[in-house]
């Protein structure tokens, strides 16, 4: 009689019909690795981290890059939000100043309209009279005072 160890060593690597795919799937599985120096061996709090850091499939560089990217994203988001709040505050101040200036312009325009309306009454109080007809100036016989050059003499 053959022992079970002998039987196992004699087995062939050829799969029965229909099992070729199962054998390919089994060979593509990741292999497990035994980690020594667990909690019971060293008693260190960092033993799990050290074991994780020494694994071949996970690179510490990738983890550091991911953490730095997350930190940079968080910092960028914070800076962007702070800038947006500051711009919003400045915008509200500018809007407030614009509304105050518009109110001042409206007040000045109302005062000017009032002064223009009272102008004829003030002119009459000063002794001025309104114009009675069209006014024209005739310069046909005009002679400039002596000593000033005329446009013809230039």
């Amino acid at each position: 009689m053959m022992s079970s160890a002998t039987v196992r060593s004699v087995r062939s690597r050829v799969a029965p019909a229909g099992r070729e795919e199962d054998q390919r799937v089994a060979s593509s599985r990741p292999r497990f690795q035994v980690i020594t120096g667990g909690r019971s061996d060293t008693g260190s709090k960092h033993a799990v981290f050290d074991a994780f850091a020494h694994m071949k499939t996970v690179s510490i560089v990738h983890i550091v890059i991911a953490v730095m990217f997350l930190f940079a994203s968080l910092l960028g988001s914070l800076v962007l939000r702070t800038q947006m709040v500051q711009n919003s505050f400045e915008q509200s101040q500018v809007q407030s100043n614009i509304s105050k200036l518009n109110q001042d312009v409206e007040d000045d325009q109302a005062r000017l309209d009032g002064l223009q309306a009272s102008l004829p009454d003030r002119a009459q109080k000063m002794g001025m009279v309104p114009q009675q007809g069209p006014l024209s100036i005739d310069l046909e016989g005009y002679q400039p005072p002596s000593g000033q050059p005329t446009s013809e003499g230039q």
Side-chain angles (χ1 to χ4, degrees):
M1 223 168 148
M2 295 176 122
S3 70
S4 64
T6 309
V7 174
R8 286 188 187 146
S9 64
V10 176
R11 288 186 185 168
S12 115
R13 299 248 184 227
V14 178
R19 292 193 176 188
E20 292 91 9
E21 297 171 8
D22 294 341
Q23 188 176 11
R24 285 185 214 135
V25 172
S27 66
S28 66
R29 288 185 183 171
R31 296 188 179 210
F32 290 108
Q33 185 176 4
V34 176
I35 300 174
T36 59
R39 291 183 197 166
S40 60
D41 292 345
T42 60
S44 171
K45 295 179 182 179
H46 302 291
V48 173
F49 178 74
D50 290 340
F52 182 71
H54 293 297
M55 290 179 64
K56 292 180 183 178
T57 58
V58 178
S59 174
I60 292 296
V61 174
H62 292 122
I63 294 172
V64 169
I65 289 173
V67 169
M68 287 175 48
F69 177 76
L70 290 174
F71 182 73
S73 297
L74 179 67
L75 186 65
S77 174
L78 181 65
V79 167
L80 184 63
R81 186 172 291 219
T82 303
Q83 187 65 35
M84 287 174 57
V85 168
Q86 184 178 0
N87 288 345
S88 175
F89 179 72
E90 289 175 3
Q91 181 184 7
S92 66
Q93 281 186 331
V94 168
Q95 290 283 347
S96 175
N97 288 342
I98 287 173
S99 64
K100 286 178 185 176
L101 290 174
N102 282 338
Q103 184 65 37
D104 290 346
V105 166
E106 289 175 5
D107 291 345
D108 290 344
Q109 187 64 41
R111 209 169 91 221
L112 179 63
D113 291 343
L115 289 173
Q116 284 180 345
S118 69
L119 189 60
D121 294 337
R122 288 179 132 185
Q124 282 182 350
K125 286 181 184 177
M126 294 173 70
M128 296 181 173
V129 292
Q131 180 182 347
Q132 297 298 325
L135 182 66
S136 62
I137 300 176
D138 184 21
L139 296 178
E140 192 146 320
Y142 176 71
Q143 291 293 326
S146 62
Q148 289 185 348
T150 62
S151 59
E152 297 169 0
Q154 290 181 350

